[in-house]
Every structure is written in structure tokens, then in C-alpha cells.
Amino acid sequence: MPSPRVEIQYCTQCRWLLRAGWTAQELLTTFSDTLGEVALVPKTGGVFAVYVDGELVFDRKTEGRFPEMKEVKQLVRNKVAPEMKLGHSDSAVKSKADGSGNKDSNECKTCDQTS
């Protein structure tokens, strides 16, 4: 069975490369023996989405916010290693629990896209 592939699509017009790179780094650190590849895929139009083996697990436009890192780790873990414990990252995600997610950067001023 091939190792799982994570794809992080990010908007170059919005300059979200650093966020995508940080997300990739965190996933590679957490799932170092599980993932086969983490790819950064430049897009336009306000995109920030995470896929696992081609299946969308998080989309900024659909959710109306960026994901918290622990949320991304939980979503990826659920697909690639459901039995794996994430320690403190297994606690409830604040933005899902109380609706207080990261909404301050949902508009892309450069490409005029909103969530």
C-alpha cells in the first residue's frame, strides 16, 4: 500500500505560502513515519485547502476560516493513522467548539476573494 500523500493548496496572490509551509512542516514532524509526501500546490483565487490522497479534508472557503493546526493534524490523522494519539492536539478544536475561529484573514485583498 503506498504511503499517504497530503496536498496543501494555497493562494499565491494572497501570499499564503508561509502558512502552507508551516502547515506542511507540522504535518511532516507529526506524521514523520506515516506520510509519503506533503506537496505545496500554488493556486490563485483565495484558495487554502488540504487534501489527503485526493480527498478534501479542509477548505478555507467552505469553513469561512483558516484551520487551527491541531484541527489539521486531527483531520489528517483520521485519514492516515486513526489509532495514533496526538497528545494535546487531541483536545477539542476551539474554533469548532465555540465558533471563534481565525476569521481575521478570510478576505484576500489581492485577488478580491472572500470566504
Side-chain angles (χ1 to χ4, degrees):
M1 181 171 161
S3 297
R5 178 181 194 269
V6 174
E7 180 175 300
I8 302 166
Q9 297 181 359
Y10 66 95
C11 180
T12 57
Q13 294 170 308
C14 302
R15 303 191 182 273
W16 290 338
L17 173 59
L18 289 178
R19 183 184 295 267
W22 174 57
T23 302
Q25 176 186 337
E26 287 290 320
L27 291 175
L28 287 167
T29 301
T30 301
F31 302 101
S32 59
D33 297 328
T34 307
L35 295 178
E37 177 182 2
V38 176
L40 300 180
V41 180
K43 298 282 186 176
T44 58
V47 171
F48 192 89
V50 180
Y51 292 82
V52 176
D53 288 333
E55 182 181 345
L56 180 66
V57 295
F58 191 91
D59 180 36
R60 184 195 66 83
K61 288 184 177 183
T62 302
E63 297 294 328
R65 60 180 174 78
F66 285 101
E68 290 186 31
M69 189 54 64
K70 68 166 71 177
E71 180 179 14
V72 174
K73 289 180 181 183
Q74 290 171 359
L75 292 168
V76 170
R77 184 268 319 267
N78 292 346
K79 296 293 180 190
V80 303
E83 71 290 343
M84 182 179 180
K85 300 286 186 224
L86 294 174
H88 68 277
S89 289
D90 270 330
S91 62
V93 175
K94 184 177 181 181
S95 58
K96 274 190 164 181
D98 67 10
S100 67
N102 180 0
K103 296 191 179 258
D104 58 341
S105 298
N106 283 339
E107 290 188 28
C108 177
K109 306 288 190 240
T110 305
C111 57
D112 295 320
Q113 296 291 318
T114 58
S115 53

